[in-house]
Amino acid sequence: ANVGVREGRWYWECKITSGIRQPNPNAGPTETEPQGHVRIGWARREASLDAPVGFDAYSYGLRDVGGQKVHMSRPKDFFPPGEDIREGDVIGLEINLPSLALHRKIVEGQYNPAVDVSDAAAAQDVEPPDIIRDRVPIRYRAHLYFEQFEYHPTKELE
């Protein structure tokens, strides 16, 4: 996906079309070999585009081998033992971000947990998200790539 999100609850699904194959007792050794590996997840705009999701502190991912979650290149068990992500699986990812009004209060140091209990009151006066896909898709070798403007983080990782 190539859509940025800043606030609210978002959900997306992806179907694994190539990766670890489903077990087939009648298949030969070459038919059960994996066709690459899969990582899916969420990343901030500061995340490295040259590394898989979960590589740094700016992204969170799921890995097909063992169904592990990955953050800062540290895999941890997530799926029940013996389960992993295989071809044909559909994986859904959801993220719930606070409203921009609440985020602004936290950044400015005006957040009071006793008063600002709910994010619902702040969300009433906020307009719905307006998604603009303004990056140009470029077709190269049967794939679509999107223009990416260089983004330089303003703050070092803490």
Side-chain angles (χ1 to χ4, degrees):
N2 63 348
V3 177
V5 297
R6 296 186 70 184
E7 64 179 334
R9 189 177 215 167
W10 295 85
Y11 176 83
W12 67 278
E13 290 181 349
C14 75
K15 182 175 182 178
I16 309 301
T17 58
S18 179
I20 298 177
R21 295 189 171 168
Q22 297 288 352
N24 184 356
N26 300 329
T30 58
E31 295 176 10
T32 58
E33 291 180 7
Q35 301 297 309
H37 289 284
V38 177
R39 275 201 199 181
I40 55 174
W42 294 95
R44 291 178 43 171
R45 62 183 174 178
E46 294 93 348
S48 173
L49 296 175
D50 299 330
V53 67
F55 170 75
D56 52 18
Y58 298 117
S59 61
Y60 307 85
L62 282 178
R63 184 176 160 204
D64 64 349
V65 179
Q68 297 173 322
K69 60 183 178 179
V70 183
H71 176 63
M72 295 179 63
S73 296
R74 294 186 176 99
K76 294 183 180 169
D77 291 335
F78 185 68
F79 282 20
E83 285 194 29
D84 45 12
I85 300 171
R86 298 188 175 273
E87 282 185 8
D89 289 349
V90 177
I91 306 295
L93 297 166
E94 181 181 20
I95 191 167
N96 192 4
L97 300 171
S99 69
L100 290 178
L102 182 62
H103 180 71
R104 209 171 284 119
K105 283 184 177 182
I106 293 170
V107 169
E108 293 171 355
Q110 300 172 355
Y111 176 71
N112 182 354
V115 178
D116 301 317
V117 190
S118 174
D119 203 18
Q124 290 176 354
D125 58 348
V126 177
E127 294 179 16
D130 184 18
I131 298 172
I132 300 173
R133 296 185 184 207
D134 57 355
R135 296 187 299 164
V136 178
I138 301 165
R139 184 173 297 280
Y140 178 71
R141 293 191 179 184
H143 294 287
L144 280 179
Y145 296 93
F146 292 87
E147 277 186 340
Q148 177 71 36
F149 298 108
E150 285 194 32
Y151 174 79
H152 299 286
T154 57
K155 189 175 165 185
E156 288 292 320
L157 178 64
E158 296 175 1

